[in-house]
Amino acid sequence: ALYFCGNLAPINCKMIRFVQTQPMPCAYLENQQEERLVTFLKPKDVINASRLISAGYRRSMDMLYRPACKMCN
């Protein structure tokens, strides 16, 4: 598990657990692999979810994620 928040200084990183996925086919670029930085938040954790979304994370149900590819920025 990673406890990395990037430029999310207002968030206490120790309270959010992140995992990095294994490489998988990229949903955006043909013939490329992608990895994601993922966290699962509890429904009551609206403040951290809002901060993560504002920082570029995407939401799917209770999962928040962002691309973490070595070749992309």
Side-chain angles (χ1 to χ4, degrees), residues 15-17 39-49 59 61-64:
M15 299 194 62
I16 301 175
R17 182 175 183 233
T39 188
F40 293 88
L41 297 179
K42 296 176 177 73
K44 65 181 181 177
D45 204 356
V46 177
I47 293 172
N48 283 337
R59 181 176 164 246
M61 306 287 282
D62 63 343
M63 177 179 71
L64 286 128

Side-chain angles (χ1 to χ4, degrees), residues 14 17 19 39 54:
K14 292 179 183 174
R17 182 175 183 233
V19 294
T39 188
S54 293

Side-chain angles (χ1 to χ4, degrees), residues 8-24:
L8 300 178
I11 296 177
N12 182 348
C13 295
K14 292 179 183 174
M15 299 194 62
I16 301 175
R17 182 175 183 233
F18 293 87
V19 294
Q20 186 152 353
T21 65
Q22 294 293 317
M24 62 187 134

Side-chain angles (χ1 to χ4, degrees), residues 2 19-29 32-38 57-58 64-73:
L2 303 171
V19 294
Q20 186 152 353
T21 65
Q22 294 293 317
M24 62 187 134
C26 180
Y28 303 102
L29 301 172
Q32 297 294 319
Q33 296 285 305
E34 77 170 313
E35 296 176 50
R36 295 178 180 176
L37 194 58
V38 179
Y57 281 73
R58 299 167 189 151
L64 286 128
Y65 66 93
R66 71 166 176 82
C69 310
K70 293 176 178 80
M71 300 302 293
C72 295
N73 52 15

